[in-house]
Amino acid sequence: MNVLGIESSCDETAAAVVADGRRILASVVASQVTLHRPYGGVVPELASRSHIEAVAPVVDQALAEAGLALADIHGVSVTQGPGLVGCLLVGFCFAKALAFARGLPWVGVDHLSAHLYSAQMTAAPPGFPLVALLASGGHTAIYFLTSPEHQELLGQTRDDAAGEAYDKVAKMLGLGYPGGAAIERLAAQGDAQRIVFTRPYLDKDSLDFSFSGLKTAVYRYIQTHPHAVEKSAADIAAGFQAAVAEVLIHKLLRAAEVKACPQVALVGGVAANGGLRRGLNQAAEAKGLRVFIPPLTLCGDNAAMVAAFGYHALEAGRVSPMDADVYSRHRG
Ligand code: KG4
Ligand code: ZN
């Protein structure tokens, strides 16, 4: 079954074709990063308009790269939420209209569930049960998964998401938007031991996160140390990154212990971070846990994870009604 996936929840317009929920035949991502960069963050109205321009060409490109025609598509899976409503509506209405016109089954899927499913798109997928950390620009949460669709929320951020903290610290250091990859590059030239930020554990047994205090600590350091950005930006980046990674890894491994689960996964945009990937692999190995982290192309927003996750619903005959609507916040 060839499923066309469409994703437009934030600032990436993406389309993909995935065969039988596993084989990625094409995955196209049109990023709006340059559009939003002058504003230091995503401007929702600009994002929606850009999705409108990009959605049809991106779908065409995905079909072309897959070497398929629309007639070869057997179902459509599209992100329904959470995300920016104006952005979601573009992909969602496009998918609905396409499915209606072609008489195809279609399903609206949860963006977070799709991110979590990306852990199953590795060479030797973990299957279930699985404890997974989703760390992105909008969310940071740990789940216990017993199937693609059954997720128990074990803990989540009480304030900023990890990626959001990365983006805000990057702004303080004058690195522009989005900041994750820029901080990682700068941190590689710094010394993580020189400026040690307090690790925001809340209490060590809690599986919740809080990154806003860490962000404020970086801000205070910059305010109280003259020329800190000019003189020690790399050390600040390294110190910040080490604090984030240590807490994310600790909580994920603690969750695996609580659930007595032998395998863990790391997904979402922040999972692209090399230091975090290496740190998790080392720490998990020391505890005898197996680790699953998707390739970089499946960490950030993409439609391959949307198509692959939606395949399971479509295959089981679960489709969405034509009057289904998008949702902006997590359905909890
Ligand atoms: O999953 P994603 O593409 O979009 C959301 O659903 O939010 O995640 C984007 C987030 C941004 O905050 C970005 O700064 C962060 O992922 N990110 C990184 C890296 N690459 C992207 N954070 C840390 N290190 C990276 N290499
Ligand atoms: Zn995302």
Side-chain angles (χ1 to χ4, degrees):
M1 180 191 242
N2 295 331
V3 175
L4 172 68
I6 298 177
E7 153 66 39
S8 69
S9 64
C10 190
D11 60 346
E12 261 106 25
T13 321
V17 183
V18 176
D20 301 325
R22 276 220 55 80
R23 227 158 20 93
I24 302 172
L25 304 182
S27 180
V28 179
V29 180
S31 168
Q32 301 178 3
V33 161
T34 50
L35 176 70
H36 301 293
R37 189 167 282 140
Y39 307 96
V42 177
V43 183
E45 182 58 26
L46 292 182
S48 314
R49 289 187 216 171
S50 176
H51 283 306
I52 290 171
E53 287 168 4
V55 67
V58 162
V59 167
D60 284 346
Q61 193 182 333
L63 288 169
E65 286 183 17
L68 298 176
L70 262 181
D72 303 314
I73 297 297
H74 307 116
V76 181
S77 174
V78 60
T79 303
Q80 189 168 4
L84 298 166
V85 165
C87 295
L88 288 162
L89 278 170
V90 177
F92 201 65
C93 294
F94 186 93
K96 242 190 217 187
L98 180 70
F100 181 69
R102 305 287 312 179
L104 291 171
W106 74 284
V107 65
V109 303
D110 184 83
H111 182 77
L112 309 184
S113 301
H115 267 302
L116 290 168
Y117 193 73
S118 66
Q120 305 295 338
M121 300 172 76
T122 46
F128 303 94
L130 179 68
V131 168
L133 166 62
L134 163 59
S136 70
H139 303 89
T140 297
I142 300 179
Y143 298 85
F144 180 55
L145 295 120
T146 48
S147 79
E149 273 137 3
H150 290 95
Q151 307 142 8
E152 180 191 345
L153 179 66
L154 300 178
Q156 63 186 323
T157 184
R158 296 184 186 171
D159 40 61
D160 291 354
E164 191 180 352
Y166 259 95
D167 294 337
K168 287 177 178 167
V169 168
K171 210 169 182 176
M172 292 177 209
L173 296 177
L175 298 176
Y177 175 85
I183 291 214
E184 182 175 7
R185 275 194 300 275
L186 186 61
Q189 300 155 32
D191 177 357
Q193 309 298 325
R194 214 174 72 70
I195 305 167
V196 177
F197 295 107
T198 308
R199 274 54 175 150
Y201 279 112
L202 298 170
D203 76 78
K204 273 213 167 186
D205 280 337
S206 165
L207 296 177
D208 279 347
F209 300 93
S210 168
F211 291 108
S212 99
L214 176 58
K215 174 192 71 186
T216 309
V218 174
Y219 180 74
R220 225 177 281 123
Y221 183 90
I222 293 171
Q223 293 300 306
T224 53
H225 292 76
H227 309 293
V229 174
E230 292 89 332
K231 287 200 306 216
S232 23
D235 292 336
I236 296 172
F240 164 77
Q241 181 164 268
V244 174
E246 195 178 303
V247 173
L248 291 177
I249 293 168
H250 171 85
K251 303 252 173 186
L252 176 56
L253 298 189
R254 170 87 190 118
E257 197 178 312
V258 168
K259 286 293 175 184
C261 183
Q263 42 189 18
V264 296
L266 173 66
V267 301
V270 180
N273 189 275
L276 180 59
R277 296 168 83 96
R278 281 191 297 279
L280 176 60
N281 274 316
Q282 277 166 13
E285 199 175 300
K287 286 188 177 268
L289 298 170
R290 301 205 305 147
V291 182
F292 297 83
I293 311 176
L296 295 188
T297 46
L298 291 174
C299 288
D301 287 344
N302 66 88
M305 65 184 187
V306 172
F309 177 68
Y311 161 79
H312 294 278
L314 292 170
E315 213 223 353
R318 290 196 303 278
V319 295
S320 293
M322 267 300 158
D323 63 354
D325 204 353
V326 299
Y327 52 92
S328 62
R329 296 179 68 83
H330 187 41
R331 289 193 282 195

